[in-house]
Amino acid sequence: MPLTPLGPGPEFDRIRRIAAVLGPRGAQLGDDCAVVEWPGGALVLSVDLALEDVHFRRSWLSPREIGWRAGAAALSDLAADGAEPVGMLTSVGLPPDFGDQALEGLARGLGEVAALVGAVVLGGDLSRAERLILDVVAVGRAERPVTRAGARPGDGIWVTGSLGGARAAWSALEAGRPPDRDALERFAHPVPRIVPGRVLAAAGARAMLDVSDGVAGDARHLAAASDVALDVDLGTLPLGPGVVAEAEKAGQAPAVFAAQGGEDYELLVALPEDFSRNDALALQRTTGVGLTRVGTVRAGSGVSFRYEGAVLDLSGYDHFA
Amino acid sequence: MPLTPLGPGPEFDRIRRIAAVLGPRGAQLGDDCAVVEWPGGALVLSVDLALEDVHFRRSWLSPREIGWRAGAAALSDLAADGAEPVGMLTSVGLPPDFGDQALEGLARGLGEVAALVGAVVLGGDLSRAERLILDVVAVGRAERPVTRAGARPGDGIWVTGSLGGARAAWSALEAGRPPDRDALERFAHPVPRIVPGRVLAAAGARAMLDVSDGVAGDARHLAAASDVALDVDLGTLPLGPGVVAEAEKAGQAPAVFAAQGGEDYELLVALPEDFSRNDALALQRTTGVGLTRVGTVRAGSGVSFRYEGAVLDLSGYDHFA
């Protein structure tokens, strides 16, 4: 069955069913991007659906932020493959009360995030809809796309930037509290890690994916795809803005709150054992993005999340859980 | 402004606004497909959104038919560029009552229409949603993509297959009457005209697009993009199954009903003057798809729809009209 093994959860059970039904009519499914061999290097594609009241609320974000965020989410998958973006296409479902100015804001946000990574908006489709729908396709190329499979025992597990900021903003907004300003920025304007992704790919990244459902879930995908076990030390997770305060309100340890927070769009990457903290500092100097070691790959299966001497059983965000 | 001129209508006004906002952050917009120069020939992409209660009703079609139809709609754009399909990606929004068996049917329909044209399902995205959403990206390649611009005075205007069948099915279903069986087949199982599209491209097609909003609207796009006028003789339109009976119920002439019927996914093509009825018969013999001459290109702008000695002012289907 052409499916990269995925971690547990009802969303991923559905993907397993789809792959089984498709059989040879499906390509290799289950990675961040679809990869198509093409003259002059691989074509790399990803698609990301953003729905009003599922992925965002219109009262929380401006149209421009909604456009940016949807574009960034799709581009983040290209970053996880170490790919160079070329363009984006976007299907938009427009509710009757989403006027021309709002549509222009949406287009502006999409165009801005495309321009940030050297891509252009290539096209799209428009329809009327009951609630706002954005589906963004990101198109790129890579000489050697990095998949989720390839981590080996002894590799270090690293994460870019910080985790939990988007969840901190969401938690505050949902409770009707003003969010931490930097946390809101993480939620409204995630920056796809295109340049760090390409630098990490060139540095010999063995396996990489983007943290869209939280490290707690995404680490399981990396372990399953690579057929290895991971030890993740939650105490080392780089905490995003607003996490300490929101974790306290949620009655969770900040590291657990951050590990279960989706939509940070950071990269989780397995790097060879000899990749050092000095190499990480060099990456930070050239890209402006930090890189923190959070775990180790070993033989076996599954993920052990270690925290203050105990092993926790954590799961990530699942649309269908 | 990088926008292929479009015909009139509120949907196309929105596309004009988007292109104006994007400016240089947008590529050439407004054609059936996005075209990206790539080593070894152009990469050709299109995206097509299918929404429950806008484009289909769940009570009318099986999940397998819904999947097939959404895939065929996206592939039809590749046909209009004379492109060779490679693969499809699909975002799916799943309502709570759309169970595992239904999801499998959807995947089966998508996989079947992909296999029909030599493509595979490359990937996708899943989310929960209130109503069923399918957004399909079709990916292909073409040595010389045929656009909507390029028709010249004197060219003949031709259409593949027949028109109005999908509308005939929709009209019956909406009125609670059992649809003509062949009309329902046109609505539920449109066949993307990939092979005819490639043959027409090789035969020197000057401009081509797929009939998704009805010839009445799509002919205007071809005229605007090519900066020419079209004379379309409605009396020559090849009528699809069920059209005569449903047109009578709608109080319309069958040719007008067919010209305003969307979602037939036939090709409207401008061919050089010397393309003959014998050439059309040869295409029918090799592809099994008929080709009918319905009009002529002349200098000027706009489209004259001629019917029984009069000139009618027709418009096509518009999502926002």
Side-chain angles (χ1 to χ4, degrees), chain B residues 62-313:
Chain B
S62 70
R64 194 167 171 175
E65 288 168 339
I66 293 169
W68 174 289
R69 206 172 157 283
L75 290 165
S76 177
D77 287 320
L78 295 191
D81 273 40
E84 173 194 2
V86 171
M88 304 197 299
L89 291 90
T90 312
S91 283
V92 183
L94 291 173
D97 65 340
F98 200 80
D100 286 343
Q101 268 203 309
L103 179 61
E104 288 178 3
L106 204 72
R108 189 165 285 119
L110 271 165
E112 284 169 353
V113 75
L116 179 80
V117 299
V120 291
V121 177
L122 294 166
D125 191 20
L126 278 186
S127 176
R128 65 185 166 84
E130 287 203 347
R131 301 194 184 197
L132 188 60
I133 299 168
L134 272 93
D135 193 41
V136 181
V137 191
V139 183
R141 70 183 108 208
E143 278 183 32
R144 187 189 69 90
V146 182
T147 69
R148 297 174 174 190
R152 301 180 209 165
D155 288 353
I157 295 292
W158 301 73
V159 70
T160 60
S162 68
L163 301 171
R167 183 181 175 194
W170 179 284
S171 299
L173 288 164
E174 197 156 46
R177 285 181 268 106
D180 177 281
R181 211 180 142 139
D182 292 333
L184 182 60
E185 186 65 16
R186 292 301 311 264
F187 178 60
H189 285 118
V191 175
R193 300 304 193 193
I194 295 293
V195 176
R198 296 185 67 191
V199 172
L200 288 165
R206 293 254 169 80
M208 190 152 59
L209 81 173
D210 79 321
V211 183
S212 52
D213 301 328
V215 160
D218 291 316
R220 291 191 196 276
H221 295 317
L222 196 149
S226 294
D227 195 17
V228 294
L230 303 189
D231 287 328
V232 173
D233 179 356
L234 293 178
T236 62
L237 291 190
L239 301 182
V243 166
V244 171
E246 288 298 327
E248 194 183 345
K249 292 194 169 69
Q252 280 192 314
V256 171
F257 183 96
Q260 292 187 315
E263 307 191 331
D264 285 313
Y265 302 116
E266 298 290 357
L267 299 177
L268 186 71
V269 54
L271 287 160
E273 205 169 355
D274 60 3
F275 188 94
S276 68
R277 286 179 209 274
N278 276 338
D279 295 329
L281 286 171
L283 180 121
Q284 180 156 16
R285 274 195 300 276
T286 54
T287 69
V289 177
L291 189 67
T292 306
R293 180 154 179 175
V294 299
T296 301
V297 179
R298 58 177 168 80
S301 66
V303 182
S304 297
F305 296 100
R306 291 166 198 277
Y307 188 61
E308 297 185 345
V311 174
L312 305 185
D313 186 25

Side-chain angles (χ1 to χ4, degrees), chain A residues 11 14-15 17-18 21-22 24-29 33-51 53-55 86 89-94 98 100-101 103-105 107-108 110-112 114-115 119-131 133 135-137 139-141 317 319-320, chain B residues 11 14-15 17-18 21-22 24-29 33-51 53-55 86 89-94 98 100-101 103-105 107-108 110-112 114-115 119-131 133 135-137 139-141 317 319-320:
Chain A
E11 178 171 354
R14 284 177 173 78
I15 296 173
R17 277 180 181 271
I18 291 170
V21 164
L22 288 174
R25 291 174 300 221
Q28 182 73 32
L29 304 178
C33 290
V35 174
V36 186
E37 288 310 316
W38 209 274
L43 170 68
V44 176
L45 299 148
S46 185
V47 62
D48 204 279
L49 187 59
L51 302 177
D53 297 336
V54 176
H55 299 91
V86 172
L89 290 91
T90 310
S91 283
V92 183
L94 291 173
F98 200 81
D100 286 344
Q101 267 203 309
L103 179 60
E104 289 179 3
R108 189 165 284 120
L110 271 165
E112 284 169 352
V120 291
V121 177
L122 294 166
D125 191 20
L126 279 186
S127 175
R128 66 186 166 85
E130 286 204 346
R131 300 194 184 197
I133 298 168
D135 194 40
V136 181
V137 191
V139 183
R141 68 184 110 208
Y317 181 78
H319 276 108
F320 297 96
Chain B
E11 177 171 353
R14 285 177 172 79
I15 296 172
R17 277 180 181 271
I18 291 170
V21 164
L22 288 173
R25 291 173 301 219
Q28 183 73 32
L29 304 177
C33 290
V35 174
V36 185
E37 288 310 316
W38 209 274
L43 170 69
V44 176
L45 298 149
S46 184
V47 63
D48 204 277
L49 187 59
L51 301 178
D53 297 336
V54 177
H55 300 90
V86 171
L89 291 90
T90 312
S91 283
V92 183
L94 291 173
F98 200 80
D100 286 343
Q101 268 203 309
L103 179 61
E104 288 178 3
R108 189 165 285 119
L110 271 165
E112 284 169 353
V120 291
V121 177
L122 294 166
D125 191 20
L126 278 186
S127 176
R128 65 185 166 84
E130 287 203 347
R131 301 194 184 197
I133 299 168
D135 193 41
V136 181
V137 191
V139 183
R141 70 183 108 208
Y317 181 78
H319 276 110
F320 297 96

Side-chain angles (χ1 to χ4, degrees), chain A residues 18 40 106 127 155-156 161 186 247 291:
Chain A
I18 291 170
L106 205 70
S127 175
D155 288 354
R186 291 302 309 266
L291 188 68

